[in-house]
């Protein structure tokens, strides 16, 4: 996925050889050298960004306005041409749904003609282009995890993003119908009251608390009953949809397509619900979500259908066939086949898929649905640059660079820090790019994850530190609706004496000098030092 991400000085220095070979795409400055110098200054000021495309790079100095990007500098590596570079830039702006792209440059006659041919106009001393949107929304299958998609919708509503096309499979088709209908409160009400017995014909033993043993018992009952009956009836789900959906509104909404699988031919069937008779709309939604053998096959006419995920669980191709300029793809980790597709160069893609597990696939719990709605909402806002963090969420005003600087000043007294060698070590340990400037953020998220802090809250660094301390002193139980699989995985992780977390604790509890540990395990030692820093300094 192509994304224009902020770059920090430590990252730029790591790519210094590549950066020194860049050249101006257009005359933002009088020379390539001056442009590189000014870009390095922009990085220090916080408005230097980088987009990687195959083996090439696009270095952008941009200032973000409410509805626009102002581009002050644009440097590219050798193989990129004008057309590709501008396409990448415009697609990056589309991912954040900016209305206007502004270029601050002095253009000669040839460049002026080219900009005009690309729909740029010279207004107020800058070249401007208005971006026009025909947005496709793609919703993947994933059963009970589908509440996440409603949280995504909430964030999109706040940005007044409308859809020209919606395509969905299984629960993505059900949510697509709710979204096409345009009644957010109805969708939330459905998910916040949902339980397994309101979706499928099954009865569980009543329990005072849905603990681990009760969840295992529910799962065992679900599997045994579904296999004995050759799939559970979805009659309760039909009743729920009949209460919440208005077929007439769906017929009049934007084009909405759902995917199902016809058996025994195992053939992918794409159904346009806008063109269906009102009485068949719910039939096709149930056919798209009939996850056989756990759920009974759906019969329409003389034919039988099962879950569309068996053939196309994430129907991006269906949306692309309808002339969209960008697609928002919401993947909730459902089983099935993610069909390959070719994204046209001129189409932007915003992919949303949580790094967190979203819980059980077929056991519905209203508490977990509420958590997943919040998670979808916050992760979408972060994708739009309104929050920061990797797994957790922090306000954009949170100053992790200051916190990191303060921590490293104290650490230098205990270990021989070599900052120029720290970035590759961080990247290796965390298996992703972690700027040295954001070391404190990486450390906080590391401990928050291992101490089971819920992610569905916007923190400041000091607020998360308070929560971490409280969890250390009095560990709390799991959050609502955590699945059996998550509890088993957590047990394994926390009892694995060779895990990163246990290694950090071992170093923290050591009696020797920090320096000897740092030379052997630098990042683990820094994490242990940060843990000590949390305990003693803050």
């Amino acid at each position: 996925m192509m994304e224009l991400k902020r770059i920090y000085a430590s990252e730029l220095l790591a790519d210094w050889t590549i950066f020194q070979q860049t050249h101006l795409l257009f005359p933002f400055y009088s020379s390539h050298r001056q442009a590189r110098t000014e870009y390095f200054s922009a990085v220090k000021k916080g408005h230097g960004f980088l987009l990687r495309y195959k083996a090439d790079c696009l270095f952008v100095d941009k200032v973000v306005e409410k509805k626009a990007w102002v581009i002050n500098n644009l440097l590219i590596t050798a193989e990129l041409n004008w057309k590709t570079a501008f396409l990448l830039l415009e697609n990056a702006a589309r991912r954040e749904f900016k209305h206007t792209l502004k270029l601050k440059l002095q253009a000669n006659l040839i460049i002026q003609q080219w900009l005009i041919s690309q729909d740029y106009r010279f207004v107020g001393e800058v070249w401007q282009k208005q971006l026009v949107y025909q947005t496709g929304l793609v919703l993947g299958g994933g059963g009970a995890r589908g509440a996440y998609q409603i949280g995504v919708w909430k964030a999109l509503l706040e940005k007044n993003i409308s859809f020209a096309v919606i395509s969905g499979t299984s629960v993505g088709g059900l949510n697509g119908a709710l979204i096409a209908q345009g009644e957010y409160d109805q969708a939330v009400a459905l998910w916040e009251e949902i339980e397994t017995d309101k979706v499928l014909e099954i009865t569980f033993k009543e329990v005072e608390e849905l603990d681990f043993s009760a969840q295992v018992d529910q799962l065992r009952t679900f599997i045994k009953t579904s296999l004995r009956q050759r799939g559970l009836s979805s009659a309760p789900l039909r009743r729920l949809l009949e209460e919440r959906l208005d077929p007439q509104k769906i017929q009049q909404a934007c084009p909405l397509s759902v995917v199902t699988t016809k058996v025994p031919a195992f053939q992918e069937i794409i159904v346009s619900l806008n063109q269906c008779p009102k009485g068949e709309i719910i039939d096709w939604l149930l056919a798209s979500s009939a996850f056989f053998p756990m759920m009974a096959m759906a019969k329409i006419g003389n034919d039988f259908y099962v879950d569309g995920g068996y053939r196309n669980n994430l129907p991006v191709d269906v949306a692309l066939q309808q002339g969209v300029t960008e697609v928002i793809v919401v993947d909730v980790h459902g089983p099935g086949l993610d069909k390959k597709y070719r994204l046209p160069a001129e189409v932007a893609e915003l992919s949303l898929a949580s790094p967190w597990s979203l819980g059980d696939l077929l056991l519905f719990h209203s508490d977990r649905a509420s958590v997943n709605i919040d998670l979808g909402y916050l992760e979408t806002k972060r994708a739009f640059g309104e929050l920061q963090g990797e797994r957790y969420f922090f306000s954009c005003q949170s100053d992790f660079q200051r916190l990191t600087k303060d921590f490293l000043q104290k650490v230098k007294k205990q270990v021989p820090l070599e900052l120029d060698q720290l970035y590759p070590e961080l990247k290796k340990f965390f298996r992703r790019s972690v700027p040295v400037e954001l070391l404190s953020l990486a450390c906080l998220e590391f401990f928050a994850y291992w101490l089971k802090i819920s992610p569905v809250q916007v923190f400041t660094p000091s607020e998360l530190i308070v929560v971490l301390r409280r969890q250390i002193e009095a560990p709390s139980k799991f959050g609502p609706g955590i699945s059996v699989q998550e509890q088993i995985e957590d047990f394994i992780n926390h009892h694995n004496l060779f895990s990163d977390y246990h290694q950090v604790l071992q170093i923290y509890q050591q009696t020797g000098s920090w320096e000897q540990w740092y030379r052997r395990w630098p990042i683990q030692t820094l994490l242990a030092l940060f843990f000590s820093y949390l305990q003693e300094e803050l």
Side-chain angles (χ1 to χ4, degrees), residues 225-261:
T225 306
S226 61
L227 293 178
R228 184 172 62 248
Q229 297 180 3
R230 300 194 65 185
L232 298 170
S233 169
S234 57
L237 178 57
R238 176 182 289 277
R239 292 191 290 271
L240 199 60
L241 294 179
E242 287 172 345
E243 291 173 10
R244 300 291 182 181
L245 292 181
D246 184 336
Q248 185 172 349
K249 286 185 178 180
I250 293 172
Q251 282 185 326
Q252 297 170 353
C254 71
L256 167 63
S257 300
V258 297
V259 179
T260 186
T261 305

Side-chain angles (χ1 to χ4, degrees), residues 137-140 165-169 172-173 255-258 315-319 322:
L137 178 65
V138 180
L139 304 170
V165 171
I166 300 175
S167 63
T169 296
L256 167 63
S257 300
V258 297
V316 181
D317 62 316
V318 176
Q322 300 180 64

